[in-house]
Amino acid sequence: MNVFYEEAGTFKIGTILTDNNTSLQIEAIHGKRSKIKAASVLFKFDAPPLSEFMHHVQKVTEEMDPNFLWECCTQEVEFTSSALAADYFGHSPSPVEAAATLMLLQNAPMYFYKKGSGRYKAAPPNALKAALASQERKRLQAEQQARYVELLNQFILPEEFKPLLSHLLYKPDKNSIEWKALETVSIEHKLTTVKLMERCGAIPCSHDYHFNQFIWEHFPAGIGFNESEFVPQSVLNKLIDLPSAEVTAFSIDDASTTEIDDAFSVTPLTLGSFRIGIHIAAPALGIDPDSLLDKTAATRLSTVYLPGNKVTMLPEAVISHFTLAENKLCPALSLYLDVSDDFTITKTESRIENIKIAANLRHNELEQHFNESALNKGDFEHAFNRELNLLWKFVCKMEAQRGKANDINNDKIDYSFEIKNNHVTISERRRGSPIDKVVSELMIYVNTEWGKQLTDAGITGIFRSQANGKVKMSTSPAPHQGLGVSQYAWSSSPMRRYVDLINQRQIIAMLRNQPPPYAKDSDSLLIAMRDFEMAYGIYGEFQRAMERYWCLRWLQQENIQTINAQVIRENLVKFDHIPFITRVPSLPEMAPNTCAKLRISEIDLLERTLHAEFLQKQDA
């Protein structure tokens, strides 16, 4: 005697060796013996022979139509497989027919719901319709995915991929058929999905790939501005009523700078003394807290810089009004320092006023005249040579008073990138040059002084401090060891940093004897500080990553195959003349600051990597 039984959701057959009422000892067709429960037996049979049984069952099953069988069922009522088989075949089913019915019921879960051993229930019409539609949809998707794989294997980008490129590149849905097709072909060709998409022409520009990824992640609404976010003209007109300063002011910036936040003036006084004016652009006079424009700035938090491009915190129309452009009357927050002939500060005064900018001096032109060589000679030819000479002597004293006159950071190299028609020029400039020192020392002074004034007035600001090499932001003043000052409140770049805009509002309220916009425990102040610190780190990391990208572009552009580098530690090196740091696995053990000659190959602009191989040790 043979049995047809169910075990672990699978139908099986076997020959009975021993029947113990509650259990049976059986032998499978291949000779394996096992013990099964009597309750799992669905029926017993003698014919056809065990070796032919499943073949006959399969043949009958293939002739049965699950849809017709479903229509034969009584809806909403459970039934046994044997009863359904009797209705379907019109007679008491044979063992083969009974087994075929069970097999079909088991293999058609969309049509029939299992309710127990040998018991089923027909799926409701709506559920069946939905399940069949889903099955058809999956079938079509499988066909579509197969077509995608075929095209991708030929490095052809399917048309359907084009509207989805950003999602596929930057935030793929790994359950989508597009991603599954990409993944399948990537594995087959041993490529990353990004490399595969590049081969298919989906990434025509490596620069745009990196830039768009950053925008996608951090500016999901895009980098444009709505016209409604501009400062209303009625607000701008009020700024004309500010008193005008009788000074000749000038700014010092890179050639590409449009957000000119600071300018300077030097006015002679009596007995060899003079007055230095540090003039900071004042967008806080026109951008009210919680206005639409303020909320936009609070979302962006800072201007994002990268070689050849930038994403501004404020709209261009607002920047053009508040920037300290030459031959224009500009609203400004000014700090005046009365300085004696020995460069000692005798008095300070802050004012809210309009100033006329006489000139926007640019680094590339000014450095030809105002440099260490010219200063060592004692004089240089320039329209502002007298003012620059006085500022130079003044800032040298300020630097010495901070204890930073011999700061090792003054010997570091800064790099600037100029991008024109995809041609990159990388320039070096020693940090601490006269131009850098004048601007940085005056900015340090104004941020320190206004931070002190806010503290003395009991008005909250956002301070930047440093202790034990760690920099942090806080609403409480604390020393900045790196700068050598007692407190430091960023307030000199209000068009480029939201923290500076907040501090400028507090300073304006202090000067006008008005309640400050932000109280000490203001949620908006604390949230802005937290968000700014996070965003500023992200933006800085992106800028460094894009500088790395343009270094690689420069190496390709100049066809650099070998280059000298300086060992930082272990196998980490910095290339000469460009700000590029990488690891060289083949570098032998060498002391820090040792020079090595390297061979360069395998530059990858998408991964922003290259392969560097040690050639030989170089003399310093």
Side-chain angles (χ1 to χ4, degrees), residues 3 22 30 41 260 407 464 572 574 578 591 612:
V3 290
T22 58
H30 299 298
V41 175
I260 304 175
D407 194 339
R464 194 170 176 85
L572 191 68
K574 181 203 167 292
I578 59 174

Side-chain angles (χ1 to χ4, degrees), residues 34-164:
S34 57
K35 183 179 180 181
I36 65 170
K37 293 180 180 179
S40 64
V41 175
L42 295 167
F43 60 82
K44 300 177 181 180
F45 65 95
D46 287 322
L50 199 66
S51 59
E52 300 176 11
F53 185 81
M54 293 306 294
H55 173 72
H56 290 293
V57 170
Q58 185 65 33
K59 188 174 181 181
V60 174
T61 303
E62 290 172 357
E63 294 173 354
M64 299 176 74
D65 180 4
N67 190 60
F68 176 73
L69 205 65
W70 177 80
E71 291 176 353
C72 293
C73 299
T74 303
Q75 300 292 323
E76 301 180 0
V77 177
E78 291 185 18
F79 57 86
T80 63
S81 62
S82 57
L84 181 62
D87 289 343
Y88 182 81
F89 292 105
H91 57 260
S92 180
S94 68
V96 168
E97 290 170 339
T101 303
L102 278 164
M103 294 286 283
L104 186 139
L105 291 169
Q106 181 83 343
N107 295 331
M110 290 186 298
Y111 289 87
F112 307 102
Y113 299 158
K114 188 173 183 179
K115 295 297 181 180
S117 180
R119 300 191 61 79
Y120 294 86
K121 182 179 178 182
N126 289 340
L128 177 60
K129 183 179 180 181
L132 290 172
S134 175
Q135 184 184 54
E136 177 64 10
R137 185 167 58 252
K138 289 178 180 177
R139 184 188 68 79
L140 293 174
Q141 286 178 342
E143 290 180 358
Q144 187 83 304
Q145 183 174 326
R147 185 174 69 82
Y148 290 161
V149 168
E150 183 180 356
L151 290 171
L152 291 169
N153 269 316
Q154 302 173 50
F155 301 114
I156 298 172
L157 188 73
E159 284 295 321
E160 295 87 345
F161 279 43
K162 293 180 180 178
L164 307 173

